[in-house]
Amino acid sequence: MTSVIVISSLILTFAVLILLFRIQSLVAVLKGSHETVGTSNKVNAAMMVVIPLLMLVAAAMHYPHAAKEFHLPIASEHGVWTDDLFWITIYVILVMFLITNAALFGCAFYYQYNPNRKASFYHDNPTVEIVWTIIPAVIMAVLVFAGWRVWYNTMEFPNDKNAEVIEIMGKQFAWQVRYPGKDGVLGKYDFRLIDDAKGNEFGIDFEKEGADDDFLARELHIPKGRPVRLKIRARDVLHSVYMPHFRVKMDAVPGMPTEFVFTPTKTTEEMRTETGNGKFNYELACTEVCGKAHFAMKYIIVVEEEEDYKKWYAAQKTFLEDKPEFKGKGMSSLKKKNLASAEKEVKTEKN
Amino acid sequence: MAEHAQVHAEVHGHDHDHHHDHDHDHDHHEQSFISKYVFSEDHKTIAKQFLIMGLIWAFIGGAMSVIFRLQLGFPDMNLEFLRPILGTWINETGKLGQEQYLALVTMHGTIMVFFVLTAGLSGTFSNFLIPLQVGAPDMASGFLNMLSFWFFFLASVIMFASLFIETGPASGGWVVYPPLSALPQAMSGSGLGMTMWLMSMSIFIASSLLGSINYITTVINMRTKGMSFTRLPLTIWAFFLTAIIGVLSFPVLFAAALLLIFDRSMGTSFYLDQIYIGGEALHNQGGSAILYQHLFWFLGHPEVYIVLLPALGITSEIIATNSRKPIFGYHAMIGSMIGIGFLSFIVWAHHMFMTGMNPFLGTVFMFLTLIIAVPSAVKAFNYIATLWQGNIIFTPAMLFSIGLVSVFISGGVTGIVLGNNALDIQLHDTYFVVAHFHIVMGSASFFGFVAGVYHWFPKMFGRMMDAKLGYIHFWITFIGIYCVFFPMHYTGIAGFPRRYYSHTGFDAFNKFADLNMFISGAAIVTFFAQGLFAFNFVYSIFRGRIAPENPWNATTLEWTTPRVPGHGNWPHGQIPHVHRWAYDYSKPNADKDGFGDFIPQHIPLSQTPNSNTEHDMAHSHKAQHA
């Protein structure tokens, strides 16, 4: 019943509005002269100043409130550099934004139609054109240079022997992490060895060296103050590793392993004190759309002091301790198994 | 309508008298309803067809954004009331489904970028204005032009139909990156919906190419006597360059789509390698998922300018006309458009900084990307300089053009942040990107589109749109656009990723419930304010005030045609010759020659001895000797 009333009143209001509009336009026709430039021109000109100013004031008043929320604390070495550059760039563009918008709306207001004035025929000035080509070019050059330095320092991936190597793999819709174990070597893998039913989700090849002491973890533990070399891959569709507090992002691509090297600077505990949030946890998210539950690919990162990290590392059970049936299984045993099943198929067909 | 008929009758009558004057004549009389309004080869009718299709798509695409904004802004809301429209897309709990959310996001992007801002904008105004402004009776090939629209129509039908199939339309984002889009087992939208997306887009590309080839040919070959390239209005320059960019880049998208079709249906592995999904390892090996991204963005980035340049061209024209002043830096404007067009081809990988491509390559693309800010800035400065010392009349078209310059600046400056790959590490695929491109590409092009409709409506339909409704429409839209997209920068800085169904899952991003609600509210108001435009548009076609032949006192050739130009554009095939550039507004001493504050392009210099400048005379001598 209510919906009928609501709908019919909406229709009525709409009809009344249309009628008013029709009357308004007919009156305008009766009044005769078709004036393009009347009072509305003055109103619009005034709005050209009033509205942008109001919006600016509103934005400025809201800013302190918003700024509290959007400042994510930084927990990595390069994060400080990128954030510094970010804010410098923001200040530069804020100045450009304010000057050009002010000029735009200022001119629109100031040079509104006046029957007693004639517009100037001034339409060309090569000097001015050159000046306002060079100014942005110089600003861009400075920003390119600054960006290049930060990018180079962040992405040069020093082949640091001291770096902690950890593998992270994305799948629909979870992250999984593998550590190299005591030997510091991640065992080889092959996607054909992946077997979710039996538990080899990484497709680790246990015929090859280095795999025997690998272990998986439920959370991404990393040590503070030492570079972490994150080896990134995906096994089904694109994903992207995103660790907002560490300013780390890198796509996970099936068939093309990627990596990102960064140095954490604050432990989870330190961050809990800093933010005053006892339940604070570093989070890892997916930023490349990967399907239905893309928004829910959350993984927890734990940053620890070196000692605690070593202790945790030593206490982990290796993959083979957990699933001894995989010992020695790899590509050649897969081949044997597949050949056997193929022969069996041929036989059954013959029978 | 009576008015319409009368004018047509008049035009046709004249044509009849001069039956032997031009060969287009025989078309006129035997035209049935179908050949005149449906399978028309007249560029003006085709333009209107593109316009109306584009507007319908704009409302569909806009409505989609309102629906997914409801989910983001009011996550607890019961959406049961949308069941009559969305059916099973609303799940048992009264919420929008997660895959359906992605489907809406994907379709919103596809529709807005390709169907509204490429076909709707370019299709409408390139078709309508190129022959009228260069002084041609029609496009170089009316038949190809007709095909262009009907290919677009077919693409539209397929895309629209894909909304209704059981597994839903394509849902992997408008960029449809494989492997997600290549594997039906990865999500339901990658099944039949994705096949239809690829079919539709392939046909769309054909439509776009047919259109572009026609635009280029017409501009090069069919300019009237005296219409040198340096006398072309900036609209034509913009459409011309847009068409060239389209012809060079759309085929690459076609190649990308074709390889994806092969991967999906013929077992090839162009984009697929080492995949384990749905409990089995696929046979595909040796492909590269990144290859698709390179191919896609080789179109995808120029596409941004395919969408934007026509809007900038339209704005140039409207700002000059309504400032009653020549466009400032005509040659610099052309130069910067050529610069933008060229650079747009060599910046594509800035969409891919985080794909794991070589960091050195990233540096190269950052450098090239930030260079493109320079010609863009030059354009903005020239617009402002055109307003300076003008005598500005605020028509609705002018308001939207000034609005365009504002959003072009506001969205442009954040591009300087995103183009810097060191900063892109954090901002890539967050709402900062969403804010950036919706302002600089989405809103700016949309403003240009709407400005164009307000400005050329009188020539299209012979009637005026209501100005007051236009003013209200502009101010609500202008404020609305900033309210929707400005706060998104904040959530982006906080790192909130794009294409997330919900923002509550992460402690890092969940503080913006209020802001998201505000954005959604603003989006809803802005969307419904477009109803004013729709009403004004439809109402004015039938009941608007009769337009004068040249309502804005503009100089370009289209305003020398009758109120509603007939087939062949100028009666008796008498196409005017051009004797000056398109911007003789407020020329000193024009009053002594008997002109007001503008001298149309077809007025010979001999009629304006007092106002001719030395430059005019030099130019005309050169033209004579050539």
Side-chain angles (χ1 to χ4, degrees):
Chain A
M1 190 58 205
T2 31
S3 60
V4 175
I5 295 174
V6 169
I7 289 171
S8 51
S9 54
L10 274 178
I11 293 174
L12 273 175
T13 326
F14 195 59
V16 169
L17 283 177
I18 291 180
L19 220 72
L20 280 177
F21 173 72
R22 183 86 189 124
I23 291 168
Q24 183 265 126
S25 41
L26 284 177
V27 167
V29 173
L30 284 178
K31 270 189 185 164
S33 73
H34 182 78
E35 281 231 359
T36 26
V37 195
T39 332
S40 340
N41 213 62
K42 293 199 179 88
V43 175
N44 276 315
M47 298 272 271
M48 281 283 160
V49 179
V50 174
I51 297 286
L53 271 182
L54 280 180
M55 293 202 296
L56 197 63
V57 170
M61 282 170 66
H62 176 249
Y63 183 80
H65 176 71
K68 252 188 284 171
E69 320 242 281
F70 66 60
H71 273 293
L72 276 186
I74 308 167
S76 71
E77 203 176 80
H78 74 269
V80 179
W81 312 331
T82 55
D83 265 42
D84 282 350
L85 182 61
F86 174 77
W87 287 108
I88 291 168
T89 313
I90 287 287
Y91 291 131
V92 171
I93 66 170
L94 192 66
V95 172
M96 297 179 186
F97 165 81
L98 289 176
I99 292 176
T100 39
N101 267 301
L104 174 74
F105 290 112
C107 283
F109 171 74
Y110 191 80
Y111 295 105
Q112 60 179 289
Y113 182 78
N114 177 347
N116 303 321
R117 202 183 63 231
K118 200 176 169 194
S120 90
F121 190 64
Y122 183 50
H123 61 81
D124 209 9
N125 186 333
T127 321
V128 169
E129 298 287 350
I130 289 169
V131 167
W132 66 38
T133 307
I134 287 176
I135 290 174
V138 169
I139 297 173
M140 289 309 128
V142 172
L143 289 175
V144 164
F145 186 70
W148 170 72
R149 279 185 57 114
V150 173
W151 173 256
Y152 184 76
N153 289 337
T154 308
M155 305 296 271
E156 65 177 336
F157 295 168
N159 214 351
D160 194 341
K161 286 261 164 53
N162 198 23
E164 192 66 20
V165 177
I166 305 168
E167 184 183 47
I168 182 161
M169 183 194 68
K171 61 168 200 165
Q172 285 179 325
F173 295 96
W175 295 102
Q176 291 196 324
V177 168
R178 179 165 68 126
Y179 286 80
K182 291 195 189 71
D183 62 355
V185 178
L186 279 167
K188 296 266 185 318
Y189 62 86
D190 191 297
F191 79 106
R192 284 164 292 191
L193 290 169
I194 297 175
D195 192 337
D196 279 355
K198 294 206 177 111
N200 190 1
E201 295 185 85
F202 275 83
I204 309 171
D205 186 341
F206 291 99
E207 283 172 4
K208 302 263 166 63
E209 271 173 47
D212 284 359
D213 57 351
D214 289 3
F215 66 86
L216 312 186
R218 287 175 170 276
E219 287 161 336
L220 177 58
H221 283 254
I222 46 179
K224 177 188 145 183
R226 202 146 58 84
V228 174
R229 180 179 294 269
L230 214 50
K231 295 199 160 277
I232 300 163
R233 64 185 173 105
R235 61 174 229 189
D236 40 32
V237 299
L238 295 174
H239 301 275
S240 186
V241 170
Y242 179 35
M243 301 159 62
H245 299 92
F246 302 92
R247 311 303 193 250
V248 166
K249 186 176 287 147
M250 185 53 70
D251 284 1
V253 185
M256 192 189 86
T258 55
E259 59 178 6
F260 201 108
V261 182
F262 66 104
T263 310
T265 52
K266 287 173 197 162
T267 64
T268 303
E269 281 308 321
E270 282 170 342
M271 200 51 112
R272 283 183 180 162
T273 333
E274 187 185 316
T275 55
N277 174 6
K279 286 179 186 159
F280 174 88
N281 266 323
Y282 290 117
E283 291 164 324
L284 190 152
C286 179
T287 47
E288 188 62 71
V289 63
C290 59
K292 188 173 177 172
H294 166 55
F295 70 102
M297 279 180 68
K298 180 157 105 172
Y299 206 68
I300 298 293
I301 308 159
V302 180
V303 185
E304 292 164 311
E305 296 289 353
E306 187 71 33
E307 283 167 40
D308 299 331
Y309 178 71
K310 287 255 165 65
K311 245 184 258 169
W312 171 85
Y313 203 93
Q316 298 306 303
K317 255 198 332 194
T318 67
F319 185 88
L320 284 182
E321 276 169 357
D322 210 26
K323 296 190 175 69
E325 68 272 21
F326 279 103
K327 190 154 178 63
K329 296 271 168 63
M331 280 312 282
S332 60
S333 38
L334 177 74
K335 201 170 169 187
K336 245 182 253 166
K337 199 180 102 191
N338 285 354
L339 275 175
S341 71
E343 269 172 31
K344 209 169 144 194
E345 251 174 58
V346 174
K347 268 185 199 161
T348 36
E349 266 173 36
K350 273 185 186 164
N351 294 342
Chain B
M1 276 318 271
E3 193 62 37
H4 254 295
Q6 196 191 337
V7 169
H8 277 297
E10 243 174 62
V11 170
H12 290 193
H14 280 302
D15 288 343
H16 191 68
D17 294 342
H18 298 266
H19 198 273
H20 305 288
D21 284 3
H22 60 128
D23 12 293
H24 285 280
D25 240 18
H26 56 274
D27 294 345
H28 285 212
H29 306 280
E30 301 104 54
Q31 270 189 339
S32 62
F33 178 82
I34 288 191
S35 63
K36 190 165 171 192
Y37 294 109
V38 184
F39 295 106
S40 169
E41 293 185 16
D42 185 297
H43 71 102
K44 299 180 292 299
T45 311
I46 294 171
K48 286 180 216 170
Q49 289 171 328
F50 269 110
L51 174 61
I52 286 162
M53 268 314 265
L55 288 177
I56 291 171
W57 272 122
F59 276 90
I60 295 173
M64 286 176 167
S65 71
V66 167
I67 295 168
F68 65 69
R69 269 323 308 185
L70 281 179
Q71 160 61 29
L72 284 172
F74 310 94
D76 300 324
M77 192 188 223
N78 189 339
L79 297 179
E80 205 55 50
F81 68 97
L82 286 172
R83 195 176 289 282
I85 310 170
L86 292 179
T88 52
W89 287 27
I90 305 291
N91 61 25
E92 307 81 45
T93 53
K95 295 274 174 353
L96 183 64
Q98 292 159 4
E99 289 203 323
Q100 285 73 21
Y101 171 85
L102 285 177
L104 283 173
V105 171
T106 304
M107 289 326 257
H108 168 75
T110 306
I111 289 169
M112 288 306 198
V113 171
F114 293 114
F115 289 6
V116 178
L117 294 176
T118 304
L121 177 58
S122 232
T124 304
F125 292 104
S126 295
N127 268 315
F128 191 75
L129 291 178
I130 288 176
L132 282 172
Q133 288 196 336
V134 304
D138 204 318
M139 280 287 180
S141 166
F143 180 71
L144 287 188
N145 210 17
M146 176 194 82
L147 278 187
S148 165
F149 173 75
W150 287 102
F151 272 60
F152 169 51
F153 185 81
L154 186 62
S156 295
V157 169
I158 295 172
M159 196 63 88
F160 190 68
S162 83
L163 297 173
F164 297 94
I165 60 177
E166 194 190 348
T167 49
S171 320
W174 78 279
V175 296
V176 296
Y177 284 169
L180 183 63
S181 60
L183 305 171
Q185 57 270 58
M187 72 190 305
S188 61
S190 297
L192 180 60
M194 190 59 215
T195 307
M196 292 173 82
W197 191 97
L198 287 166
M199 277 164 60
S200 170
M201 282 310 300
S202 303
I203 296 168
F204 179 86
I205 291 166
S207 151
S208 168
L209 291 176
L210 287 170
S212 296
I213 288 171
N214 233 334
Y215 307 151
I216 295 170
T217 315
T218 310
V219 172
I220 293 179
N221 288 327
M222 297 183 67
R223 284 165 291 128
T224 183
K225 188 158 183 273
M227 182 62 96
S228 60
F229 268 88
T230 48
R231 280 175 180 168
L232 283 178
L234 286 174
T235 32
I236 302 303
W237 266 105
F239 300 146
F240 179 58
L241 292 170
T242 303
I244 293 176
I245 296 173
V247 162
L248 293 178
S249 64
F250 264 114
V252 179
L253 180 67
F254 184 73
L258 198 63
L259 297 188
L260 189 50
I261 291 171
F262 288 165
D263 271 8
R264 286 171 53 81
S265 357
M266 298 177 196
T268 57
S269 309
F270 290 106
Y271 305 133
L272 304 176
D273 189 20
Q274 302 184 27
I275 289 167
Y276 179 93
I277 194 166
E280 59 167 344
L282 304 186
H283 72 273
N284 306 79
Q285 268 183 287
S288 162
I290 306 301
L291 170 65
Y292 174 85
Q293 298 183 24
H294 280 294
L295 293 174
F296 180 87
W297 287 113
F298 190 85
L299 157 90
H301 199 79
E303 170 65 20
V304 170
Y305 295 97
I306 291 175
V307 159
L308 194 55
L309 281 181
L312 292 174
I314 287 169
T315 298
S316 308
E317 195 62 25
I318 293 173
I319 285 191
T321 304
N322 291 295
S323 300
R324 313 308 300 156
K325 216 188 136 204
I327 192 83
F328 195 86
Y330 175 78
H331 292 98
M333 286 298 230
I334 296 171
S336 54
M337 279 198 283
I338 293 174
I340 289 173
F342 174 71
L343 287 170
S344 72
F345 280 99
I346 47 174
V347 297
W348 79 88
H350 68 217
H351 299 268
M352 301 166 58
F353 285 147
M354 294 300 126
T355 52
M357 69 180 195
N358 190 317
F360 176 70
L361 200 55
T363 312
V364 175
F365 277 99
M366 166 188 58
F367 172 65
L368 294 168
T369 300
L370 292 203
I371 291 179
I372 214 169
V374 175
S376 310
V378 169
K379 285 195 80 74
F381 294 144
N382 278 314
Y383 287 130
I384 296 169
T386 307
L387 296 179
W388 186 69
Q389 292 195 340
N391 209 10
I392 300 168
I393 299 164
F394 294 102
T395 63
M398 183 63 171
L399 291 175
F400 273 99
S401 297
I402 294 173
L404 181 150
V405 178
S406 174
V407 290
F408 181 59
I409 294 168
S410 310
V413 291
T414 52
I416 297 169
V417 181
L418 288 167
N420 206 326
N421 47 8
L423 309 181
D424 195 51
I425 299 173
Q426 178 73 356
L427 297 172
H428 183 75
D429 266 339
T430 65
Y431 265 73
F432 199 87
V433 179
V434 177
H436 161 69
F437 74 76
H438 273 95
I439 295 179
V440 77
M441 179 182 105
S443 305
S445 309
F446 169 75
F447 275 26
F449 190 10
V450 174
V453 174
Y454 278 114
H455 195 74
W456 280 286
F457 189 92
K459 199 45 71 184
M460 286 181 178
F461 298 99
R463 290 167 184 269
M464 308 292 287
M465 284 178 84
D466 187 78
K468 290 216 170 67
L469 278 184
Y471 303 147
I472 300 168
H473 173 217
F474 169 73
W475 286 110
I476 297 178
T477 309
F478 180 73
I479 298 168
I481 290 281
Y482 271 106
C483 286
V484 172
F485 299 117
F486 190 74
M488 283 186 188
H489 292 107
Y490 295 159
T491 53
I493 295 171
F496 182 55
R498 294 169 74 175
R499 298 174 181 138
Y500 264 32
Y501 175 74
S502 148
H503 51 83
T504 51
F506 289 79
D507 292 337
F509 322 129
N510 70 357
K511 299 166 214 145
F512 295 105
D514 292 349
L515 208 57
N516 268 313
M517 206 188 289
F518 174 78
I519 292 172
S520 296
I524 291 165
V525 172
T526 313
F527 174 72
F528 282 101
Q530 306 314 306
L532 286 175
F533 174 73
F535 168 76
N536 199 352
F537 183 81
V538 175
Y539 180 91
S540 304
I541 288 179
F542 301 107
R543 287 284 161 89
R545 295 182 69 167
I546 301 293
E549 277 177 13
N550 186 359
W552 319 117
N553 294 333
T555 55
T556 39
L557 288 184
E558 76 272 29
W559 305 108
T560 63
T561 60
R563 190 176 69 95
V564 180
H567 201 58
N569 293 339
W570 283 270
H572 329 315
Q574 285 176 346
I575 292 170
H577 294 171
V578 163
H579 302 277
R580 56 184 75 234
W581 74 334
Y583 300 101
D584 268 350
Y585 290 106
S586 304
K587 210 174 185 186
N589 302 322
D591 46 346
K592 291 184 195 147
D593 295 323
F595 287 93
D597 62 354
F598 73 107
I599 308 175
Q601 276 192 287
H602 68 283
I603 304 294
L605 293 181
S606 55
Q607 280 185 36
T608 57
N610 295 307
S611 62
N612 290 342
T613 60
E614 277 172 35
H615 181 262
D616 287 333
M617 301 314 288
H619 200 272
S620 90
H621 279 302
K622 219 165 68 188
Q624 271 170 14
H625 290 297

